[in-house]
Amino acid sequence: MTAPPARRRSEDFDGRAIDRAEIEERLRMPPPELFPHAVTHARELTWGTGHDRFSFALTLLLQGLALPRP
């Protein structure tokens, strides 16, 4: 069995091209009470280079781990 062909990063599952504005819009669609960080930081998650996005997401993750627990 062979692996499915890799999708281009700018394509949707159906092969339709998508841009950053659409990705940002999709990140804002879920209910904020269930996905507060994705909705709040949709712009930051889609902004800049791959390195910028990785750095932002990693910083957000580490800050969350450092929060004091009740």
Side-chain angles (χ1 to χ4, degrees):
M1 175 180 251
T2 62
R7 289 184 299 116
R8 288 187 5 211
R9 287 189 289 174
S10 60
E11 289 183 355
D12 201 351
F13 289 106
D14 61 3
R16 186 177 58 87
I18 57 175
D19 61 8
R20 286 187 182 178
E22 184 170 347
I23 295 169
E24 181 181 338
E25 181 181 331
R26 289 180 184 192
L27 286 170
R28 293 185 190 281
M29 291 172 116
E33 60 277 2
L34 296 177
F35 302 97
H37 297 297
V39 173
T40 300
H41 299 294
R43 179 171 301 270
E44 291 87 348
L45 290 168
T46 58
W47 174 86
T49 66
H51 178 76
D52 294 330
R53 292 187 302 275
F54 176 78
S55 179
F56 173 78
L58 185 58
T59 300
L60 195 63
L61 175 70
L62 293 174
Q63 286 173 346
L65 291 174
L67 290 175
R69 302 293 176 217

